[in-house]
Amino acid sequence: MNNLLLKLVFLFRPLFEKLGVQTHKMKVILDAKLKMDSRRTSMLTRGFNNSKKNSYVNIITTVYYFIMGLFLMVVCFIVIEDTTSAIAIYQTIWIILLSLTLISDFTDVLIDVRDNYILLPRPVNDRTLTVSRIVHIFLYLLRLFVPFIVPGLIFMIIDQGILGTSLFLIQNLLSVVFSIFLVNILYLSILKYANQQKFKEIINYFQISFIIITMTIYYLLPNLIDFTNLEGFNIMDNTWSYFLPGTWIANLWALLIEGNFAMPNMIMAGLGIFVPFASLYIIIKGLSKDFSQKLIGIGQGSTEVVREKKTEKNSLKNWWRKRITKVGEERAGFDLAWLMTARSRDYKLRTYAMFGFIPVLFVYFIALYGEGTFAERWEALQASHQYLFLIYICIYSAFVPIMNLQYSEKFKAAWLFQALPLAQPGKLIKGSVKAMIARFVIPIFIISTVFVITIWGMETLDDIIIGFINILFICALAGKMLLKEMPFSQSWTTQNKGDTVVWSFAIMFILGAVGFMHWLIVDYFLIVLLWGILFSFLTWWIFKEYK
Amino acid sequence: MNPIIQVRGLSKSFGKKQVLNNIDLDIQPGQIIGYIGPNGAGKSTTVKILTALDGEFEGEVLVDGIDVRKDPLAVKRIVGYIPETAEIYDVLTPMDFLNLVGNLHDMEPEIIKERATNMLRHFGLEGNLDKRMDTFSKGMKQKVLIISGLIHNPKLIFMDEPLTGLDANTVIMLKEIISKLSEKGKTIFYSSHMMDIVEKVSDRIILINNGSIIADGSFEALKQQRGESLEKVFTSLTGNRNYSDKAEDFLNAFNQ
């Protein structure tokens, strides 16, 4: 497979030579990189101890991309009648998907810091390194997205024949080139202003937002698209679309297949060819030197102090720690969890992304509630008990952070806990759970409360209080049952062991039961009161049992 | 003989911070240079400039008569670089890796294969030629890294803490390799924090602090000026002399 790809790439050897590439060296670099890619995927399995799980993951991603491609194909080509418009939408989404994937998943493919030590000291020119890098990214994306492109191509073959399909394929490739350019520019501009540490942090936030955006689209889009209006949609009717690279590339179709020689189409089609090639030219000619120089800079530790100290005494952390933890192991656990969850990128990526569910669910349960005009829906909403959802939504801000507490990339640093004479390690865990409550649950709960009171008024106050007690109860229970190990002491690859999975389902079930009970008793004040007392006691008791 | 390294008025700054400050340096072929200095003194920056990795500096730097800014590739051709951090494509096997490196140096495939196999064998890695390096220990990776810096038979070799993770036998062997390389006229630029080794290995010691060379000469010469061991010379030039008092203060922290 790799050899075949390389052979295909080197059909362009004369072009590479013209660009000043040392083709022999490019070939060995690509060969090594492709080898690494194909081995890296199987690297994952080492943590799982069985290779079946990995091929399983591969199949799932393949199926996932295939379904996405199928969905996009149906939305574009079957619903929209005008082919150029369909291709425009298709290419635009394709470019977005490619760029986001490049940013979120493949920082290693885009920038491998090891190249600094391995490739740069060798007699290889910048042009060779850049072209190899771009071709490598290109091949990587193509391999990954084959299942995504296939449905569109099949449709094209059936609907338009060979000629149309070839053009469509070329259009897809042009989009890939353009996306690579886009992401390169983004990286270069971030690198210009940030050192390595900050660079990674910024990319981290891109990754988090990528996951959130994907989830939002996944859950909400089917509700929001009005399929009936799409049929007669024509992209050229909308001025905004003139600025989309997807439209430019799509107009090649209008020009070459439909023979539409109107002025706007011609200009767009011209841009569609010109921009991807111009961007390739810019990357290779203009940015090579820059990029290598910047890469060297990445390795160089800057001497500036990364974080200026905030006034420690007045921080939110200190306000809480004094009020909710006892001196000793508990406070140490609180401090550790607070600081680590704020700073370690791996934790943030896996946890903060989950918070993306909160606004999504909010929209789902509140904004999309009822039917009819805004006023009708508002009334229906006020008459409903939807606020219970709003109150319990913030369990998302509790469950995942607590569950993820025991994992870390730097899990080896947990030797510390083994070296320390900890009489009651549970207290440390208790402190870390409390940190999660103070750091994530309470702020989000306060925001929900503001919404609830604004929409439903003060009479929901008893429910809010009961809800809060229940959430604390779930947090305490989750910490007690899920955190079997010291905080940050396990590798992420050991995540989802049988035990934890069972318990997390059990706790989700208990949460459901508690929420349902709440809904049942919502109108009986006395029972609500008794419930509150009982669960406060239970929470207190569970926290006492952390040893 | 022409010097292999000629540096005139080399300065470099990151923003406002002056990292290298008007350095002049001549190094003759066949010398083993012990390049030392405290953290952040500008050691690795100098090495990056001398290996033609970093072209942003002021002054003039010639390596084997070649201007590093005018023809970096020609410089890279004669330089072998063994980096400090054991950065390696560790999903590759040693043979894959050395094949990549050898090809980048335009070596003939047969020669790469033969040399790599022999060198790996001499380091005791003959059983691991085709195993992925992600299972290797730190010392084994370091051995591969050392070979990758030497395989193209460079004139000028830069080593940054090359002994990291190596066992005692390999350390002795590497020291022998270094002195034999120098007998053959190769120049070695050895930077390290381990003073006792630098002291024994080097013909000439260059001490850099705050971007300037503050001592330059054979160990014997430095010893006469500053005290009996390189460690003493180092601390007397770069830091506080009274480390015994400092140690005392450190322990006094218990009394508070």
Side-chain angles (χ1 to χ4, degrees), chain A residues 24-25 28 33 35-36 39 42-43 114-115 117-125 293 296 300 303, chain B residues 14 17 53-54 56 73 76 81 83 85 87-89 91-92 96 100-101 103-106 134 148:
Chain A
H24 165 66
K25 293 180 183 178
V28 271
K33 293 272 180 185
K35 223 178 237 174
M36 277 150 62
R39 286 183 193 168
S42 48
M43 263 279 287
R114 293 174 301 180
D115 292 354
Y117 301 97
I118 299 168
L119 300 181
L120 289 187
R122 314 290 169 184
V124 189
N125 63 26
Q293 192 66 39
I296 303 215
Q300 252 152 10
T303 38
Chain B
F14 290 127
K17 194 176 185 271
L53 283 172
D54 188 351
E56 291 185 351
L73 290 197
K76 287 176 183 179
Y81 176 51
T85 35
E87 296 282 9
I88 209 163
Y89 298 142
V91 289
L92 296 181
D96 288 337
L100 168 71
V101 170
N103 270 301
L104 293 180
H105 279 289
D106 293 311
D134 47 11
S148 80

Side-chain angles (χ1 to χ4, degrees), chain B:
Chain B
M1 221 182 328
N2 283 332
I4 183 128
I5 295 178
Q6 269 180 294
V7 176
R8 293 285 170 273
L10 171 63
S11 298
K12 182 179 172 73
S13 49
F14 290 127
K16 277 181 194 159
K17 194 176 185 271
Q18 187 89 13
V19 199
L20 295 176
N21 195 1
N22 201 20
I23 289 181
D24 290 322
L25 191 62
D26 275 311
I27 291 171
Q28 298 302 326
Q31 283 187 332
I32 302 174
I33 308 293
Y35 193 48
I36 56 177
N39 294 324
K43 284 198 305 290
S44 51
T45 312
T46 328
V47 170
K48 275 189 183 131
I49 291 169
L50 290 176
T51 50
L53 283 172
D54 188 351
E56 291 185 351
F57 59 84
E58 288 152 43
E60 193 186 35
V61 177
L62 300 181
V63 173
D64 201 23
I66 310 159
D67 187 328
V68 292
R69 270 187 296 213
K70 286 213 182 94
D71 196 353
L73 290 197
V75 172
K76 287 176 183 179
R77 240 168 249 138
I78 56 164
V79 161
Y81 176 51
I82 302 168
E84 178 192 7
T85 35
E87 296 282 9
I88 209 163
Y89 298 142
D90 56 6
V91 289
L92 296 181
T93 69
M95 287 309 272
D96 288 337
F97 186 71
L98 294 173
N99 192 36
L100 168 71
V101 170
N103 270 301
L104 293 180
H105 279 289
D106 293 311
M107 292 164 63
E108 293 298 322
E110 306 83 56
I111 298 183
I112 300 174
K113 195 170 174 208
E114 205 185 303
R115 258 190 221 168
T117 323
N118 282 330
M119 287 176 149
L120 287 166
R121 196 182 63 231
H122 295 313
F123 270 143
L125 291 176
E126 63 267 38
N128 306 73
L129 297 183
D130 297 309
K131 286 199 183 125
R132 286 200 217 169
M133 294 188 279
D134 47 11
T135 57
F136 281 21
S137 70
K138 211 172 169 187
M140 288 158 87
K141 283 186 198 165
Q142 185 65 22
K143 288 176 185 173
V144 178
L145 219 53
I146 290 168
I147 296 173
S148 80
L150 297 176
I151 193 163
H152 54 293
N153 197 11
K155 274 191 187 171
L156 172 60
I157 301 152
F158 290 87
M159 299 184 172
D160 198 349
E161 295 289 359
L163 305 182
T164 319
L166 296 182
D167 60 57
N169 291 330
T170 321
V171 168
I172 296 169
M173 186 172 153
L174 187 66
K175 281 196 220 161
E176 285 297 318
I177 292 175
I178 290 175
S179 73
K180 293 222 156 65
L181 282 169
S182 119
E183 279 166 27
K184 291 199 167 147
K186 312 283 184 195
T187 314
I188 289 134
F189 215 83
Y190 186 104
S191 48
S192 172
H193 290 296
M194 287 185 249
M195 294 302 140
D196 44 343
I197 293 171
V198 176
E199 177 184 317
K200 288 197 191 96
V201 167
S202 344
D203 304 327
R204 175 179 168 193
I205 289 163
I206 296 172
L207 173 52
I208 179 174
N209 194 20
N210 294 326
S212 305
I213 294 175
I214 55 169
D216 183 355
S218 69
F219 173 54
E220 295 304 320
L222 292 178
K223 200 160 83 171
Q224 275 165 13
Q225 291 166 15
R226 295 282 175 175
E228 68 271 29
S229 75
L230 187 56
E231 209 168 64
K232 289 242 165 71
V233 175
F234 186 88
T235 50
S236 79
L237 285 169
T238 60
N240 197 315
R241 251 151 279 194
N242 302 320
Y243 278 99
S244 167
D245 291 350
K246 279 199 172 174
E248 196 62 41
D249 290 344
F250 181 88
L251 291 177
N252 278 336
F254 289 129
N255 302 334
Q256 277 148 19

Side-chain angles (χ1 to χ4, degrees), chain A residues 392 461-471 518 528 531-532:
Chain A
Y392 285 101
L461 199 61
D462 54 339
D463 292 307
I464 291 172
I465 292 167
I466 294 298
F468 186 65
I469 292 169
N470 286 342
I471 285 167
H518 189 164
V528 167
W531 177 281

Side-chain angles (χ1 to χ4, degrees), chain A residues 251-295:
Chain A
N251 266 298
L252 288 172
W253 185 275
L255 199 68
L256 297 175
I257 303 287
E258 293 171 353
N260 182 347
F261 291 102
M263 205 49 188
N265 296 85
M266 298 251 285
I267 294 173
M268 297 275 138
L271 283 174
I273 277 284
F274 175 74
V275 170
F277 279 100
S279 48
L280 250 192
Y281 183 83
I282 294 173
I283 304 177
I284 293 169
K285 287 261 171 175
L287 302 182
S288 327
K289 186 104 193 147
D290 231 22
F291 217 101
S292 311
Q293 192 66 39
K294 284 276 151 41
L295 272 182

Side-chain angles (χ1 to χ4, degrees), chain A residues 24-267:
Chain A
H24 165 66
K25 293 180 183 178
M26 172 172 161
K27 200 167 184 175
V28 271
I29 294 174
L30 277 180
D31 186 47
K33 293 272 180 185
L34 291 178
K35 223 178 237 174
M36 277 150 62
D37 288 344
S38 46
R39 286 183 193 168
R40 192 176 296 131
T41 36
S42 48
M43 263 279 287
L44 281 173
T45 54
R46 293 200 311 146
F48 294 116
N49 293 328
N50 63 347
S51 53
K52 269 186 190 159
K53 188 146 185 173
N54 186 53
S55 57
Y56 198 60
V57 171
N58 275 339
I59 292 172
I60 289 179
T61 33
T62 310
V63 170
Y64 176 73
Y65 281 129
F66 183 79
I67 291 175
M68 259 169 70
L70 195 68
F71 180 73
L72 187 61
M73 185 273 278
V74 170
V75 169
C76 293
F77 295 116
I78 295 182
V79 177
I80 301 174
E81 276 175 353
D82 176 42
T83 314
T84 305
S85 307
I87 294 176
I89 299 281
Y90 188 96
Q91 295 300 339
T92 304
I93 293 177
W94 174 229
I95 289 173
I96 294 173
L97 180 73
L98 284 166
S99 314
L100 288 175
T101 316
L102 270 179
I103 292 168
S104 59
D105 275 351
F106 309 122
T107 39
D108 245 20
V109 177
L110 271 171
I111 295 181
D112 188 339
V113 188
R114 293 174 301 180
D115 292 354
N116 274 351
Y117 301 97
I118 299 168
L119 300 181
L120 289 187
R122 314 290 169 184
V124 189
N125 63 26
D126 292 339
R127 210 48 71 73
T128 309
L129 290 176
T130 314
V131 175
S132 316
R133 213 167 52 83
I134 289 169
V135 173
H136 176 217
I137 299 169
F138 194 83
L139 294 178
Y140 199 101
L141 286 177
L142 279 190
R143 269 212 292 204
L144 187 75
F145 282 113
V146 162
F148 182 83
I149 313 177
V150 164
L153 283 180
I154 294 176
F155 177 84
M156 275 293 173
I157 289 180
I158 297 168
D159 196 51
Q160 303 284 348
I162 296 296
L163 190 66
T165 312
S166 331
L167 180 63
F168 182 64
L169 190 62
I170 292 171
Q171 288 175 315
N172 277 325
L173 297 182
L174 288 175
S175 297
V176 177
V177 171
F178 183 75
S179 314
I180 294 175
F181 169 71
L182 217 60
V183 175
N184 267 288
I185 292 287
L186 177 78
Y187 271 39
L188 264 177
S189 39
I190 299 176
L191 276 173
K192 194 164 182 142
Y193 299 104
N195 57 22
Q196 188 186 9
Q197 197 59 30
K198 275 202 198 122
F199 176 75
K200 284 188 177 159
E201 219 135 275
I202 293 170
I203 296 300
N204 191 224
Y205 282 111
F206 266 108
Q207 293 172 323
I208 293 170
S209 15
F210 172 62
I211 297 174
I212 293 178
I213 291 170
T214 326
M215 271 186 331
T216 319
I217 291 174
Y218 188 76
Y219 280 91
L220 296 183
L221 204 63
N223 287 316
L224 297 178
I225 294 184
D226 184 1
F227 284 96
T228 47
N229 279 341
L230 273 178
E231 223 172 297
F233 176 78
N234 191 327
I235 194 96
M236 297 303 280
D237 295 342
N238 305 288
T239 330
W240 51 262
S241 72
Y242 289 16
F243 298 99
L244 293 179
T247 317
W248 308 337
I249 292 171
N251 266 298
L252 288 172
W253 185 275
L255 199 68
L256 297 175
I257 303 287
E258 293 171 353
N260 182 347
F261 291 102
M263 205 49 188
N265 296 85
M266 298 251 285
I267 294 173

